[in-house]
Amino acid sequence: MPDFSYGAEVTHVAKRDMRIALLARRRELSAEARAAAASDIQATLVALVRRLCPARITAYVPVGSEPGGPELPEVLRAALPPDGELLLPVLLPDLDLDWAAYTGPDCLVAAGRGMREPTGPRLGAGAITEAGLVVLPALAVDLSGLRLGRGGGSYDRALARLPETTLTVVPLHDGELVSSLPAEPHDRPVRAVVTPAEGLRTLDAAPPSGLGTPPGVAPHTSAGRTGGE
């Protein structure tokens, strides 16, 4: 049931205002700055995929000023083991996410909300649970791992399905990892971010079981960049 309390409304307004400011800041980035950021982010994610060698990962197609660049799916697929699989989201009418395999740029079609989606067989909303690495978008993430999305709740539902040990990573532009964000009960944390300046940085969203840093991922140094990045 929706929360119509004063506190919930304040949080909703705070999130809305932050989205407006963050999107405006992204639009101000030059094409050169976006390309340089995308190159750095792709390199870090490729190194991570090669280190983890997951059988399945999920990602998305960045659009507009989103960090990572539109080539991100192709770059990630090339980094997978020969039998590895990359899934991309398919937005459902209720704003939940289904998943389908990415087989190359020709499999993508324009979809709602500016997304580009794969045309292959739908694998179901639960397909994300078998991913060893989940790369997902956000406008900002705070130091506890809470993310600010675009307000549809699609990824919060997807994150709620994941095992606690799944490595979830958000590509960000520099300056979008912040000290704190307004949060609501349905918000789900992520475990790491990638920024052009710092590379891969793990956050404080450790699972309740105390498993700590995901296997294959070194804790971030004082500079935030992991060894080997």
Side-chain angles (χ1 to χ4, degrees):
M1 182 175 180
D3 185 350
F4 296 109
S5 67
Y6 174 74
E9 177 62 21
V10 169
T11 300
H12 175 77
V13 171
K15 284 187 168 184
R16 181 199 63 195
D17 291 346
M18 288 192 73
R19 288 188 185 103
I20 292 171
L22 288 162
L23 286 168
R25 183 177 181 272
R26 284 186 174 184
R27 286 193 294 269
E28 292 173 355
L29 292 171
S30 67
E32 293 78 8
R34 293 179 191 178
S39 178
D40 290 340
I41 288 169
Q42 290 172 14
T44 300
L45 289 174
V46 164
L48 178 62
V49 171
R50 289 175 176 167
R51 186 160 67 244
L52 297 177
C53 295
R56 170 180 286 181
I57 68 175
T58 70
Y60 62 101
V61 185
V63 297
S65 58
E66 287 187 321
E71 311 86 2
L72 183 62
E74 189 65 17
V75 169
L76 293 178
R77 186 175 71 132
L80 283 167
D83 57 348
E85 182 180 39
L86 170 60
L87 304 186
L88 300 182
V90 178
L91 189 65
L92 298 173
D94 65 355
L95 301 185
D96 205 345
L97 297 177
D98 203 335
W99 301 88
Y102 173 78
T103 57
D106 292 343
C107 83
L108 297 176
V109 296
R113 299 196 169 207
M115 296 175 62
R116 292 179 60 77
E117 298 177 344
T119 56
R122 305 310 191 234
L123 303 178
I128 192 175
T129 63
E130 299 178 16
L133 172 65
V134 172
V135 180
L136 67 155
L139 297 175
V141 176
D142 73 16
L143 295 176
S144 71
L146 289 176
R147 57 181 288 278
L148 180 69
R150 291 180 180 261
S154 303
Y155 277 97
D156 287 315
R157 282 191 262 182
L159 287 169
R161 299 185 176 105
L162 292 176
E164 294 173 350
T165 54
T166 303
L167 178 55
T168 49
V169 181
V170 173
L172 296 173
H173 290 295
D174 291 329
E176 293 177 347
L177 176 62
V178 299
S179 59
S180 64
L181 287 170
E184 296 174 277
H186 65 265
D187 291 332
R188 300 284 173 162
V190 296
R191 302 187 69 187
V193 299
V194 172
T195 61
E198 294 194 7
L200 178 68
R201 175 167 176 163
T202 55
L203 303 173
D204 294 331
S209 57
L211 292 174
T213 303
V217 179
H220 70 269
T221 66
S222 59
R225 186 177 289 273
T226 60
E229 295 296 334

